[in-house]
Amino acid sequence: MEKLKIADKEFTSRLFIGTGKYSSNADMAKAIDASGSEMVTVALRRVDIRNENDDMLAAVDRDRCVLLPNTSGARDGEEAVRLARLTRAASGINWVKLEVTPDPYYLLPDGGETLKAAETLVNDGFVVLPYINADPILAKKLQDVGTATVMPLASPIGSNQGLTTRAAIEIIIEQATVPVVVDAGLGLPSHAAEAMEMGADAVLVNTAIATAGDPAAMAEAFKLATEAGRTAYLAGKAAISKTANASSPLTGFLRD
Amino acid sequence: MSEFAQILRDKKLDRQSPDTSTMIDNITTDQVRRHLAQPPGRYSIDRLMALLSPAASELLEEMAQQARQLTIQRFGRTVQMYAPLYVSNVCVNSCLYCGFNCQTEFSRTRLTIDQAVKDGKVIASEGFRHILLVSGEDTKYVTNDYLAELAQRLREDFSSVSIEIYPLDEAGYKNCFDAGIDGVTLYQETYDRDTYERYHIAGPKADYDQRLDSYDRAARAGMRRLGLGVLLGLADWRQETLALAEHAAYLMKKYWRSQVSFSFPRLRPAPHVAEEYEHLVGERELVQMMIALRLCFADAGIVLSTRESAELRNNAVNLCVTRISAGSKTNPGGYSEEDDSTEQFVIADDRDPSEVAKMIKRAGREAVWKDWDTSFTA
Ligand code: SF4
């Protein structure tokens, strides 16, 4: 299957994985392995990024996976920029998943602050992957300032509700010039498949895997679903029965 | 090479090729049916190829029904009215197909600002609030300052002013935009480099790439409406449509604040032009092209001028047309002067605007005279 290209990196797997909420780092390592994922996000506030031996970092196979630091916990653009810069200084990683979530309950992203921070970080040389509400106009503005992807949420983070923002995500996919990664709210492998069937370039899953009875098995299920959805998208879906409503002919005036 | 020129080259669409023709000819009715079964309104080059194919011609009625439904869904039952105002028929170019060609001899006319405003008053009295300023490539007289001043004056009577003139640089477009001009119509004429060269033998317009880049400049300057088209008759219409669609898709994604529309100028008899054209487009093909573009671009404007016959226009308003001109005069001063100066081409629908509006009403549509106001932007 053709690869996904983000900035200067290519990915075979289109499933990105989060690292929060696992009951142990061992479970997490097994789940990441089973997912086949090559992009793993990690919350900066959770790890000591300087320290290769940090428990969580040590559990991620860095040869196979790109580590994508995220700015979760940032309440405004300035905080997010500061977090990103600190990480880069400590780790040399200049990729960042930009999350600005002032609301501590639903963790919904602040579009205005995200746009401001994205512009600053892009100008600063970062590869920026912004987490956003499924807002087509915001997605366009972000790609205009040079973000490497857009990552609209499928439903509120951790809610496992699936694609409640489907109509808006369809518009984002149709119009985007950068890869679209559906992030947050995917609760079941079928949700991931649905997003991929719609033409999303990748999906990001955390809670649904981390809190499953058997995270590794669920990770594998998501892997298969993501691949199935992508294959279906590429195959071109068959028609849902649709015959034109017969009405008075519109082309009768044309003479051959 | 500019970004879009590169895209065209990569997709092998800046030169027509027998391979592409064969590919389109080999498309089967089944393939077309499959594309028609997908939700209409989304562009992919495969879909457009299928819809333009000879095989699709057999399914034209089904395509037309879809195009009509989609147009109503996205635009409502409205058709916007506009009128062209020719301000100068002086031109430094020699496009072989055009009556304003600098090598033909006739007495040329340029309208002073006052004369143009006078024509504008006549147009406004007919009800129009959208006006399109048209001129040959007359850079000496129809300057930036001329356009800006004229636009300012016309704003008393018109809520939107567009231009269909020679390409400007970005500062020029910006200048126009600031003066209240919010739309630019420009035809690449043909996307096939060889044909382009053959028909544009001298003058600044001979530079294909310079023209191709103009759309980016206009969009960057903030123009709200970008009108695209090819001159139908110069090269194979199917391949031209593919290049045109790529251009539209590129502009829509990159300059997403501007609305793209398509026009379908078919070559018409023109004074002083004795060219014979190899690729003249028939009515059925024209309709297929309009419908195919609609089915790939749900939100694009589809414009039909008075080059087309009354009968075609009566029917096209029910297909997918969103904007229509009426009562057009294609000679400078044609609205207010008795004495006719040379026309750019001969119009085919000479009904006056109120008759066209009535026709639109009879077709179950609503003629809209004003749907924008320049004072929002300038
Ligand atoms: S098509 Fe335009 S540029 Fe060419 S000769 Fe006619 S008026 Fe001049």
Side-chain angles (χ1 to χ4, degrees):
Chain A
M1 210 177 289
E2 96 292 15
K3 294 193 168 170
L4 167 65
K5 190 155 195 256
I6 299 178
D8 58 347
K9 288 198 166 74
E10 287 191 339
F11 300 86
T12 307
S13 160
R14 289 169 181 267
L15 173 60
F16 301 166
I17 296 285
T19 49
K21 301 187 185 174
Y22 282 94
S23 47
S24 74
N25 285 336
D27 274 1
M28 181 183 84
K30 270 191 251 161
I32 294 175
D33 197 38
S35 73
S37 178
E38 295 160 334
M39 175 105 93
V40 173
T41 76
V42 47
L44 291 169
R45 60 196 164 83
R46 286 278 307 277
V47 296
D48 178 4
I49 195 100
R50 245 172 290 248
N51 179 2
E52 289 273 332
N53 300 323
D54 174 280
D55 284 350
M56 194 185 265
L57 290 183
V60 177
D61 175 359
R62 301 280 292 275
D63 288 336
R64 202 189 75 198
C65 296
V66 171
L67 201 59
L68 179 64
N70 70 47
T71 61
S72 79
R75 283 170 312 176
D76 58 32
E78 259 177 54
E79 285 184 7
V81 168
R82 206 173 310 126
L83 265 168
R85 284 180 178 154
L86 282 170
T87 318
R88 181 164 69 180
S91 66
I93 300 174
N94 74 335
W95 283 49
V96 62
K97 181 180 173 211
L98 179 58
E99 296 184 18
V100 182
T101 51
D103 150 33
Y105 305 106
Y106 286 99
L107 297 172
L108 290 170
D110 179 334
E113 290 291 312
T114 302
L115 181 59
K116 268 196 276 176
E119 189 160 16
T120 308
L121 290 171
V122 168
N123 289 335
D124 231 13
F126 279 91
V127 175
V128 181
L129 294 80
Y131 167 59
I132 56 170
N133 272 302
D135 175 347
I137 300 296
L138 178 61
K140 294 192 216 213
K141 288 183 173 174
L142 284 162
Q143 87 192 9
D144 281 355
V145 303
T147 61
T149 62
V150 288
M151 307 180 74
L153 56 79
S155 50
I157 198 163
S159 71
N160 294 339
Q161 291 175 47
L163 279 159
T164 60
T165 58
R166 183 180 174 111
I169 289 184
E170 274 177 348
I171 295 173
I172 294 176
I173 290 172
E174 185 187 326
Q175 299 183 333
T177 54
V178 294
V180 177
V181 184
V182 174
D183 183 2
L186 299 178
L188 290 167
S190 55
H191 299 155
E194 189 184 355
M196 297 305 293
E197 282 164 11
M198 280 161 57
D201 295 281
V203 291
L204 195 152
V205 183
N206 183 19
T207 305
I209 295 176
T211 63
D214 180 345
M218 190 55 91
E220 190 185 1
F222 267 97
K223 170 188 154 161
L224 297 171
T226 305
E227 287 170 3
R230 180 68 188 170
T231 308
Y233 171 72
L234 292 175
K237 62 182 176 225
I240 301 168
S241 153
K242 182 106 182 274
T243 34
N245 311 344
S247 52
S248 49
L250 295 169
T251 53
F253 71 100
L254 292 167
R255 297 164 295 262
D256 283 313
Chain B
M1 184 170 274
S2 72
E3 191 182 343
F4 179 63
Q6 192 62 53
I7 292 175
L8 268 191
R9 170 151 304 179
D10 292 347
K11 301 201 170 176
K12 299 199 170 53
L13 288 170
D14 64 347
R15 286 224 156 69
Q16 302 215 323
S17 92
D19 295 351
T20 312
S21 261
T22 314
M23 222 151 97
I24 299 175
D25 286 346
N26 287 340
I27 287 168
T28 64
T29 332
D30 270 353
Q31 280 172 302
V32 181
R33 283 220 172 82
R34 225 158 20 239
H35 281 286
L36 280 180
Q38 304 300 332
R42 303 233 177 107
Y43 173 65
S44 73
I45 197 157
D46 293 342
R47 180 187 180 98
L48 184 58
M49 264 197 201
L51 299 180
L52 291 171
S53 68
S57 173
E58 291 160 36
L59 299 169
L60 204 56
E61 178 61 26
E62 191 176 333
M63 286 167 60
Q65 297 286 355
Q66 278 199 14
R68 175 172 179 274
Q69 253 179 29
L70 184 61
T71 307
I72 293 175
Q73 187 195 333
R74 308 301 299 204
F75 290 84
R77 294 177 184 274
T78 61
V79 178
Q80 194 220 80
M81 307 287 290
Y82 77 98
L85 167 52
Y86 281 69
V87 296
S88 166
N89 56 18
V90 175
C91 186
V92 296
N93 288 311
S94 32
C95 310
L96 295 183
Y97 45 78
C98 175
F100 290 173
N101 182 337
C102 69
Q103 288 171 355
T104 55
E105 282 192 29
F106 62 91
S107 74
R108 307 264 172 176
T109 316
R110 299 163 146 151
L111 301 187
T112 61
I113 302 256
D114 283 341
Q115 286 172 321
V117 170
K118 200 168 148 209
D119 257 20
K121 295 270 178 212
V122 177
I123 294 171
S125 73
E126 291 169 334
F128 291 101
R129 294 295 171 265
H130 290 260
I131 195 166
L132 174 68
L133 303 179
V134 188
S135 138
E137 188 148 346
D138 181 357
T139 46
K140 283 217 182 64
Y141 187 77
V142 182
T143 59
N144 240 272
D145 290 346
Y146 173 95
L147 290 166
E149 192 185 334
L150 179 55
Q152 301 273 15
R153 293 274 303 275
L154 289 172
R155 283 177 56 190
E156 290 168 23
D157 292 313
F158 293 93
S159 56
S160 165
V161 182
S162 304
I163 49 175
E164 184 181 331
I165 60 162
Y166 57 89
L168 304 176
D169 59 17
E170 190 174 333
Y173 281 127
K174 184 77 182 54
N175 202 15
C176 286
F177 184 73
D178 291 341
I181 292 169
D182 47 36
V184 171
T185 293
L186 192 71
Y187 302 144
Q188 183 63 24
E189 318 290 14
T190 171
Y191 286 91
D192 174 32
R193 286 179 185 271
D194 300 326
T195 307
Y196 193 92
E197 203 176 303
R198 185 141 59 86
Y199 281 99
H200 304 100
I201 52 175
K205 195 169 165 182
D207 187 342
Y208 175 103
D209 287 286
Q210 208 272 354
R211 195 168 184 88
L212 198 63
D213 283 354
S214 313
Y215 303 84
D216 291 77
R217 296 198 296 272
R220 277 199 299 270
M223 290 297 170
R224 300 179 60 88
R225 279 172 285 110
L226 300 173
L228 273 60
V230 288
L231 199 46
L232 294 168
L234 298 183
D236 172 60
W237 67 277
R238 293 190 167 95
Q239 296 194 52
E240 294 276 36
T241 308
L242 295 177
L244 179 68
E246 279 296 316
H247 204 175
Y250 160 82
L251 292 168
M252 280 172 170
K253 284 209 166 170
K254 183 147 186 196
Y255 307 103
W256 50 272
R257 290 175 174 84
S258 307
Q259 195 207 23
V260 167
S261 62
F262 297 110
S263 299
F264 304 85
R266 284 200 293 168
L267 279 163
R268 304 263 320 147
H272 316 291
V273 177
E275 270 292 313
E276 297 223 329
Y277 305 102
E278 289 166 51
H279 298 280
L280 286 176
V281 172
E283 257 186 25
R284 193 180 176 87
E285 294 163 323
L286 175 71
V287 165
Q288 187 177 356
M289 176 181 176
M290 292 170 63
I291 291 175
L293 283 171
R294 162 60 73 235
L295 292 181
C296 286
F297 298 94
D299 297 302
I302 300 239
V303 186
L304 205 59
S305 79
T306 54
R307 280 174 190 251
E308 297 304 336
S309 70
E311 198 203 354
L312 176 68
R313 278 155 50 94
N314 294 352
N315 289 288
V317 289
N318 242 331
L319 289 173
C320 55
V321 166
T322 60
R323 211 179 301 158
I324 211 164
S325 57
S328 305
K329 304 275 190 264
T330 68
N331 53 323
Y335 291 94
S336 54
E337 303 291 326
E338 295 287 306
D339 181 28
D340 275 1
S341 51
T342 298
E343 297 176 314
Q344 191 188 23
F345 57 87
V346 182
I347 63 169
D349 180 357
D350 57 6
R351 290 174 294 181
D352 67 39
S354 62
E355 279 178 68
V356 173
K358 271 187 220 135
M359 171 276 280
I360 290 172
K361 181 128 211 134
R362 275 198 303 276
R365 300 284 158 123
E366 159 125 16
V368 170
W369 300 86
K370 174 178 187 294
D371 75 351
W372 176 245
D373 202 304
T374 301
S375 53
F376 292 144
T377 48

